[in-house]
Amino acid sequence: MTLRLHDSAAGAVRDFVPLQPGRVGVYVCGATPQGSPHLGHVRAQVAFDVLRRWLTATGHEVTLVRNVTDIDDKILAKAAEAGVPWWAHAYRFERDFAAAYDALGVLPPTVEPRATGHVPEMVELIGRLVERGHAYPAADGSGDVYFDVRSWPQYGELTHQDLADMEPAADADPRGKRDPRDFALWKGAKPTEPASASWPTPWGRGRPGWHLECSAMAGRYLGGRFDIHGGGLDLRFPHHENEQAQSRAAGDGFAQYWLHNHFVTMAGEKMSKSLGNVLGIPNLLREHRAVVLRYYLVSAHYRTALEYSGTSLVEAEAAYSRLEGFVRRTAERVGPHVAPGEVPAEFAAAMDDDLATPAALASLHEVARRGNQALADGTDEQLLTAYRQVRAGLGVLGLDPLSEPWVSRAGTSDAARDALDVLVRARLEERAAARAARDFATADAVRDSLKNAGIVIEDTSTGARWTLEGEQ
RNA sequence: GGUGGAGUGGCCGAGAGGUUAGGCAGCGGCCUGCAAAGCCGUCCACACGGGUUCGAAUCCCGUCUCCACCUCCA
């Protein structure tokens, strides 16, 4: 079985063949930290985190580059509005994004370069483009440098559009452009903008246009040609189209596969600030466990819209708890040293089929069902097989409750939990004695009082087990 | 105008010519002192109208509706 991925450039699912066997270079568009992260931002990173984990699980060494575009028009505008330096504004939100990704169990990328740290690479890239006749300094003396789309016949190939059908780009004053669809590689410094937001170049002081930073940083860390470029569907045009045009026009092969994730929607519409339907990560985490958010995001295929409703996360909690409960109950039975094994064959097939996480999860639910049967009246071997498979599959999805980061995030320290365990066990013994004496009023009173404290009791064949509410 | 995508059971969400997707919720049962958890069963849907086919949610034609990008955007 080989991995097949949907390549937006081809408009089709293709067999994935890395440029070098066993090694995969991935570039994922990260944040432009002009505001707080919402569920949609995090969906993208979770999607590519799953890709990365699956590649790793299938024996690839992955280099994942995720940029931070820490300077752009909006950052400058919002920082000015807030009365803070643009770099302080960008860094503040960069930290919020990092916190959100960490919370959701997104593995850190191999490197997380910032646009502002790569101006020399950008200047070099522009130089190559000018030299090859694909870029030119604006005629109006603004200091802008534009990409000449008409000099690049393949322009539009990524998004299958004809130059003739495109609307003009409005990312800069069109006066200096040869063609209204030309886009800015570099933006000349303006007197109204902070001096700290410009860098010297052969074409004058200025700052990067959008798009350029990704080409420059992908080249720096992954080379001129690399395997996979990922990002949100809304980045296909103009961002990714322009990245590809400028890199290829400069002589780089650039990305071999383009992956785009779809949106989180509400009432069918994309989550976005302008619509006012954004769900901020910190708010969601106040109400729901991060692992449940992640389960929710993984429960739909990355290329389809994920509809959010008020009950979505409650349902995700129930669904995840089912798998989590099986894992935890089994771990209590078999001990802490049983490691995850191989993923079920159906799981692997689903993942190889363009990361079909819904089918992959379905396979885990089925294995968990068999595991639950085994837990009740099966053999140890049946139970262990199911346990290893479910944990392995959950691990690939970043959802294994007994692996990092979740295992360290029980919400209480080990010492506190141990202390609580002693106290709860004492009460459970009281309850067991009462039950043995058929004094059910006392037994139920113990259970109720624990329940009121947020401790849930389940009777099992081997005695009562307790969990904190909201965990399994 | 151009490009791409979608309409599936109460909800989320797969599938893509013939077999139960899966989960949540509901209902019935088993288990339990009662619960909880779990298990079994049930609920058998594919926007609309035609057509092809032994057979279509899946293919073809037409219609309607919605979404995304072309402007910042995961």
Side-chain angles (χ1 to χ4, degrees):
Chain A
M1 225 18 226
T2 56
L3 174 60
R4 292 167 59 75
L5 295 173
H6 180 89
D7 173 24
S8 303
V13 175
R14 296 168 55 207
D15 283 356
F16 176 67
V17 182
L19 291 168
Q20 292 177 56
R23 312 189 65 146
V24 183
V26 184
Y27 187 94
V28 176
C29 281
T32 299
Q34 42 127 334
S36 300
H38 60 60
L39 195 55
H41 295 123
V42 156
R43 182 184 189 190
Q45 297 310 325
V46 167
F48 295 110
D49 186 55
V50 168
L51 167 69
R52 189 251 195 101
R53 286 172 188 257
W54 182 236
L55 285 169
T56 303
T58 51
H60 299 85
E61 190 181 308
V62 180
T63 302
L64 177 66
V65 180
R66 184 180 68 208
N67 67 291
V68 176
T69 298
D70 58 344
I71 180 151
D72 89 322
D73 293 355
K74 278 215 163 157
I75 289 172
L76 289 170
K78 293 204 169 174
E81 210 176 289
V84 298
W86 63 270
W87 35 266
H89 184 90
Y91 186 57
R92 178 191 154 194
F93 289 110
E94 180 185 322
R95 306 240 319 162
D96 286 355
F97 272 85
Y101 298 154
D102 279 353
L104 275 276
V106 175
L107 296 171
T110 313
V111 65
E112 187 166 34
R114 295 190 189 122
T116 53
H118 296 77
V119 170
E121 288 84 350
M122 298 181 200
V123 169
E124 190 270 341
L125 180 57
I126 297 172
R128 278 152 72 202
L129 288 168
V130 170
E131 201 174 294
R132 288 168 173 249
H134 295 299
Y136 59 92
D140 61 0
S142 61
D144 293 350
V145 183
Y146 295 111
F147 183 88
D148 184 347
V149 295
R150 285 178 303 179
S151 77
W152 187 245
Q154 297 96 307
Y155 190 72
E157 66 179 339
L158 176 62
T159 51
H160 316 109
Q161 300 183 91
D162 246 35
L163 195 55
D165 296 325
M166 289 182 196
E167 295 173 6
D171 64 341
D173 192 323
R175 285 175 308 176
K177 293 185 179 182
R178 291 180 187 166
D179 186 291
R181 294 157 300 201
D182 290 350
F183 59 90
L185 297 166
W186 194 255
K187 298 184 172 189
K190 294 181 181 59
T192 51
E193 291 174 358
S196 63
S198 71
W199 291 259
T201 75
W203 307 278
R205 286 193 75 85
R207 60 185 172 91
W210 190 33
H211 322 308
L212 189 68
E213 80 286 7
C214 286
S215 287
M217 294 188 283
R220 167 110 196 183
Y221 298 103
L222 296 173
R225 226 153 76 95
F226 58 94
D227 297 294
I228 297 171
H229 190 128
L233 196 53
D234 44 5
L235 296 180
R236 274 182 316 174
F237 194 93
H239 187 53
H240 290 337
E241 186 73 67
N242 291 355
E243 273 184 52
Q244 181 168 86
Q246 70 205 176
S247 283
R248 291 198 172 162
D252 289 342
F254 214 55
Q256 305 301 297
Y257 295 81
W258 284 92
L259 268 57
H260 290 102
N261 65 278
H262 211 126
F263 310 124
V264 178
T265 59
M266 290 179 84
E269 287 181 312
K270 175 183 167 184
M271 187 172 290
S272 74
K273 284 225 168 100
S274 49
L275 283 170
N277 60 350
V278 294
L279 295 165
I281 297 302
N283 280 339
L284 289 170
L285 290 180
R286 240 165 260 139
E287 300 285 326
H288 304 278
R289 294 191 289 159
V291 68
V292 167
L293 245 61
R294 184 170 174 117
Y295 181 96
Y296 168 67
L297 293 173
V298 165
S299 71
H301 185 94
Y302 77 94
R303 275 193 301 117
T304 66
L306 208 206
E307 172 70 8
Y308 180 90
S309 76
T311 57
S312 292
L313 293 176
V314 176
E315 288 173 15
E317 168 72 48
Y320 179 67
S321 292
R322 198 177 125 70
L323 296 173
E324 183 188 20
F326 166 66
V327 169
R328 288 193 191 281
R329 275 180 271 116
T330 305
E332 286 162 20
R333 168 87 70 91
V334 303
H337 302 301
V338 179
E342 298 284 310
V343 299
E346 297 77 15
F347 183 97
M351 293 302 286
D352 275 339
D353 181 15
D354 194 30
L355 310 174
T357 53
L361 276 177
S363 79
L364 297 186
H365 274 104
E366 283 176 8
V367 175
R369 175 183 303 114
R370 279 188 261 123
N372 277 323
Q373 287 165 347
L375 210 44
D377 56 14
T379 66
D380 283 358
E381 193 190 338
Q382 289 170 324
L383 178 60
L384 282 171
T385 300
Y387 175 76
R388 290 199 175 102
Q389 289 186 340
V390 171
R391 280 195 64 196
L394 287 175
V396 166
L397 301 175
L399 293 168
D400 178 15
L402 301 185
S403 291
E404 294 300 334
W406 317 116
V407 70
S408 307
R409 280 197 212 157
T412 50
S413 69
D414 287 350
R417 185 170 282 267
D418 289 349
L420 185 61
D421 186 55
V422 170
L423 296 174
V424 173
R425 277 184 193 288
R427 304 234 54 202
L428 289 178
E429 276 166 33
E430 269 176 54
R431 177 167 170 269
R435 291 179 71 204
R438 302 197 66 79
D439 176 6
F440 297 122
T442 301
D444 289 352
V446 171
R447 186 170 64 195
D448 290 346
S449 79
L450 289 170
K451 169 86 175 148
N452 288 337
I455 293 164
V456 181
I457 300 309
E458 287 170 31
D459 289 319
T460 73
S461 57
T462 53
R465 75 187 279 263
W466 68 270
T467 51
L468 290 175
E469 217 163 15
E471 292 179 6
Q472 280 301 308

